[in-house]
Amino acid sequence: MRIACPSCGSTFDLAEDDPRSNARAACPNCGRAVVVSAARIDGPGSGSETIPLEAVTGLILDPIDETTSPAKPVPAAVSSGRRVSLAVLSGPQAGDVFLLDRPRVVLGRKGGGMGADIEVDDGQVSRAHASVESHGSKVVLQDLGSSNGTFVGEEPVKSVELADRDEFRIGVTRLMLIVAESD
C-alpha cells in the first residue's frame, strides 16, 4: 500500500501484509513516525492508491537511565550547535525565557518542592508536570502524569516531538520552544 508522509510529503510503500488500522511506519526520507489511521483497502487498484497519514503525537520513550548509560547525554546546545530555550507566551510569567542547558529539564509548580528545573508560577501546574528532553537533534515534550495535563493545541499529549516555534500549554501557562543557532 502506498502512503504519504504528512511531514515531508514523500510517498513510500507499507508492506502489503500490514494494511491494518493504525499500522505504524517510519518515513524513509525524513524519519518521522507516521500511522495509517483507519485505512481501508477496497476496490480496483487499491494497491497503488496513496493514503495520507497522521503524524504520531503520542510517542512513549523509555526514560534515560544515566547510571547505566555508557556516556552522559550531552545538552542539545552542545551536541548540535544549537541553543534551545522556552519562552513564556501567556500566564503569570509571560515574557520570561528559560535556556535549556541540559538534556532533560523538568517543568513544575513554583514552590512545589519536587526539584523542578523550571518553576512556573501557576496553581494549575503539578509539582513535576512535564519534561523537555533533547535526544540528538530531536526535542521531546513529555507529560509526567500531571493532574491537569499537557496540551499541544487543544489536544492532550503524553509525549510528542517538538519543532522550533511549537507551542504547548501546562496549566494556564502557554510556552514556545525556540531553537536557534549557537553564537
Side-chain angles (χ1 to χ4, degrees):
M1 166 178 22
R2 194 117 181 109
I3 53 179
C5 175
S7 294
C8 68
S10 68
T11 58
F12 58 97
D13 291 317
L14 184 64
E16 289 298 324
D17 61 344
D18 197 9
R20 66 187 186 279
S21 175
N22 294 327
R24 294 173 188 254
C27 175
N29 187 41
C30 69
R32 180 76 182 241
V34 292
V35 65
V36 176
S37 181
R40 276 188 8 194
I41 301 176
D42 38 287
S46 62
S48 63
E49 294 175 0
T50 300
I51 299 172
L53 300 180
E54 299 172 8
V56 173
T57 57
L59 295 176
I60 305 293
L61 299 174
D62 293 331
I64 298 172
D65 183 2
E66 294 180 16
T67 61
T68 60
S69 295
K72 218 170 174 141
V74 180
V78 175
S79 67
S80 62
R82 331 174 275 170
R83 184 177 57 244
V84 181
S85 55
L86 292 176
V88 182
L89 301 177
S90 65
Q93 292 173 264
D96 287 359
V97 177
F98 300 97
L99 178 64
L100 306 186
D101 60 354
R102 54 192 100 148
R104 182 175 191 260
V105 175
V106 174
L107 307 168
R109 183 175 61 240
K110 187 171 189 169
M114 292 293 286
D117 301 302
I118 297 176
E119 292 188 336
V120 180
D121 189 11
D122 182 338
Q124 293 187 24
V125 171
S126 295
R127 294 181 296 164
H129 195 102
S131 68
V132 177
E133 301 178 16
S134 296
H135 299 275
S137 63
K138 297 179 182 182
V139 178
V140 177
L141 170 68
Q142 188 163 11
D143 184 84
L144 299 176
S146 65
S147 299
N148 294 321
T150 301
F151 295 82
V152 173
E154 294 303 314
E155 295 296 317
V157 296
K158 294 293 181 201
S159 183
V160 64
E161 184 178 335
L162 296 175
D164 182 35
R165 308 285 183 212
D166 279 352
E167 297 178 16
F168 63 95
R169 180 175 58 83
I170 59 174
V172 297
T173 302
R174 195 166 45 95
L175 301 111
M176 176 189 286
L177 178 76
I178 300 171
V179 180
E181 295 299 316
S182 290
D183 298 334

